[in-house]
Amino acid sequence: MHLRHLSIGDFRSYHAAELPLAPGVTTLEGLNGQGKTNLVEAVGYLATLSSHRVAQDAPLVRHGAEQAVVRGVVVRDGRETLVELAITPGRANRAKLNRTPVSRTREVLGAVRSVLFAPEDLALVKGDPSERRRFLDDLLVQRQPRWAGVRGDYDKVVRQRNALLKSAAPVLRKGGGRRRSAYGQGQEPVEDALAGALHTLDVWDQHLAQVGASLLYARLRLVRDLGPYLSQAYDEVSAGQSDARITYRSSLHEEATARIADGEVPEPTELADLLTDSLLRVREQEIERGVTLVGPHRDDLLLQLGELPAKGYASHGESWSFALGLRLASFQLLRHDLGDDPVLVLDDVFAELDAGRRSRLAGMIADCEQVLITAAVGDDVPPELVEGARFHVKRGEVTAV
């Protein structure tokens, strides 16, 4: 799979830009702040419906414009597909496939697949658990787009359950006495209100357990499948200087957490029971804090170099290599699963690597169907990669070299 053409309008710093693309390596050169990353960010948005740089869509729209448009022509097995996205802050985004509108934007997921590595990926190693959870879930969606719906459903359940915990907290905490009815002048027994709140909480527990178990099961399988690719990718990037591994850290109760840490992947039905049990164990704490304390939204991905966690122990070079290894492992996993290559994007990568790592990385990506590289200095790109197409980017203008 490869992109044949990228077109953007009112996206970031660009009023408009057209970028013809081809299989092989394409390099975008230019000083920092000229718009190179904006172009590859648009490629990533076509693939994931999100930006690797910001959480909201508003910064993606050029200042003064009402909406941004991103179009890409993707070629797979000799057939072309046109993917179009209209990004409108404050309103629902719109999408088209081959000029036909789709009812939900996420229906275009899977038309373009990409793996993007950028300096921001250091947060995978050094940042909060939310960064690593997003990495897993985004990769799940790249693997099978249907997980976008499951992830959205789970987020809704957590939000609604949290709202219940906060609104019902006074009743759940008291558990005795009487309070004035909301429907008249009489007194309503607190026991009735308490029973109603507990019943509603039990219902939301069931929803969270069912949807959460599906998401957790998919993540556990993903970690199991990704691990071998990570070890190989890290060894190749760093010349085998350490043993890189990943372990899923669950928020379930201690016995279940230990099983998962050992690499076990329970079936979804068992995971639902484990989630239900774990929620009951922390119910008093949840009522006191007004927040859901158990579930995939509280989990983490433990990154290790040998027996030590990478966070806090890895050097800057090791952290960079680990983050790069995660992205290269993702590429190899998708290649294996899908039978074709996603678009590999390396945003300002080579400037951070020494000569040995640059050469090894160049060898690793030599057989990729399509690679997009950004570089502030052309000499940072290894000589074996400079024979492809090259474009110069300056102040939002893209010209072929």
Side-chain angles (χ1 to χ4, degrees):
M1 186 202 80
H2 67 272
L3 280 172
R4 183 181 63 77
H5 195 89
L6 175 70
S7 174
I8 57 176
D10 291 324
F11 184 87
R12 287 285 194 179
S13 59
Y14 288 90
H15 175 70
E18 304 289 335
L19 183 63
L21 296 167
V25 177
T26 297
T27 303
L28 304 173
E29 298 177 10
L31 298 177
N32 292 331
Q34 301 301 305
K36 306 184 303 297
T37 296
N38 296 345
L39 293 170
V40 296
E41 183 181 22
V43 174
Y45 199 94
L46 282 173
T48 65
L49 304 182
S50 64
S51 164
H52 70 286
R53 302 161 75 188
V54 293
Q56 305 296 324
D57 284 345
L60 304 180
V61 180
R62 187 175 61 86
H63 180 69
E66 294 185 358
Q67 72 173 18
V69 176
V70 181
R71 299 183 182 90
V73 179
V74 61
V75 181
R76 178 182 287 113
D77 298 327
R79 293 178 295 181
E80 292 190 351
T81 301
L82 173 62
V83 184
E84 300 178 84
L85 296 172
I87 305 167
T88 310
R91 298 171 55 187
N93 294 339
R94 293 177 289 110
K96 295 180 182 179
L97 280 175
N98 291 327
R99 305 193 185 281
T100 301
V102 297
S103 57
R104 293 181 299 180
T105 307
R106 67 178 184 225
E107 290 180 32
V108 305
L109 288 170
V112 179
R113 286 186 169 95
S114 74
V115 173
L116 187 152
F117 179 76
E120 289 83 357
D121 282 335
L122 276 179
L124 292 175
V125 181
K126 298 183 176 184
D128 295 333
S130 60
E131 300 287 346
R132 293 178 285 278
R133 289 193 295 267
R134 180 183 176 184
F135 164 76
L136 289 176
D137 292 343
D138 286 350
L139 185 52
L140 276 179
V141 174
Q142 291 266 55
R143 244 184 150 182
Q144 292 181 301
R146 71 180 184 87
W147 289 110
V150 176
R151 183 171 63 174
D153 291 343
Y154 179 77
D155 290 342
K156 290 179 183 177
V157 170
V158 172
R159 286 196 300 270
Q160 291 169 322
R161 189 175 184 276
N162 285 343
L164 172 65
L165 286 169
K166 292 176 182 178
S167 64
V171 176
L172 293 169
R173 288 171 187 162
K174 288 181 180 179
R178 304 171 71 84
R179 68 178 178 87
R180 185 172 299 277
S181 170
Y183 301 100
Q185 300 300 315
Q187 300 293 318
E188 179 185 77
V190 165
E191 287 79 3
D192 292 345
L194 178 62
L198 289 174
H199 173 72
T200 306
L201 188 55
D202 287 338
V203 171
W204 282 112
D205 284 0
Q206 294 174 15
H207 289 321
L208 186 144
Q210 292 300 319
V211 183
S214 296
L215 181 58
L216 179 54
Y217 179 71
R219 283 186 184 176
L220 293 177
R221 290 189 60 183
L222 175 61
V223 171
R224 180 193 63 190
D225 296 345
L226 188 65
Y229 291 109
L230 169 65
S231 297
Q232 181 179 356
Y234 186 89
D235 286 348
E236 292 186 25
V237 170
S238 63
Q241 295 180 8
S242 190
D243 177 22
R245 64 182 74 170
I246 49 176
T247 304
Y248 194 86
R249 179 177 286 173
S250 169
S251 57
L252 296 172
H253 59 73
E254 187 174 351
E255 300 91 332
T257 299
R259 291 171 55 192
I260 289 173
D262 287 338
E264 185 176 344
V265 182
E267 291 298 316
T269 52
E270 184 179 0
L271 287 172
D273 292 338
L274 292 172
L275 279 165
T276 301
D277 184 32
S278 297
L279 287 168
L280 289 173
R281 295 190 188 200
V282 299
R283 175 165 286 187
E284 289 187 7
Q285 299 174 48
E286 289 187 329
I287 292 171
E288 286 296 322
R289 297 175 59 178
V291 66
T292 301
L293 298 176
V294 171
H297 67 291
R298 304 283 294 192
D299 296 349
D300 196 2
L301 183 66
L302 180 62
L303 313 181
Q304 292 177 272
L305 288 174
E307 299 301 323
L308 295 175
K311 185 176 182 179
Y313 287 90
S315 67
H316 180 75
E318 288 173 329
S319 298
W320 190 265
S321 294
F322 207 125
L324 179 56
L326 285 170
R327 293 302 186 187
L328 293 174
S330 302
F331 177 90
Q332 293 296 338
L333 178 63
L334 292 174
R335 168 187 273 182
H336 176 269
D337 284 355
L338 307 174
D340 61 5
D341 287 2
V343 179
L344 180 61
V345 180
L346 301 176
D347 182 23
D348 200 20
V349 170
F350 290 102
E352 291 286 340
L353 302 179
D354 56 41
R357 283 184 168 86
R358 289 181 187 178
S359 180
R360 288 190 291 272
L361 177 57
M364 294 172 67
I365 66 177
D367 66 339
C368 298
E369 183 171 350
Q370 187 173 47
V371 183
L372 307 182
I373 297 172
T374 71
V377 180
D379 290 343
D380 288 342
V381 182
E384 52 266 53
L385 298 179
V386 299
E387 295 182 359
R390 300 171 74 86
F391 293 88
H392 186 70
V393 181
K394 183 176 181 180
R395 296 180 182 176
E397 297 290 332
V398 184
T399 55
V401 177

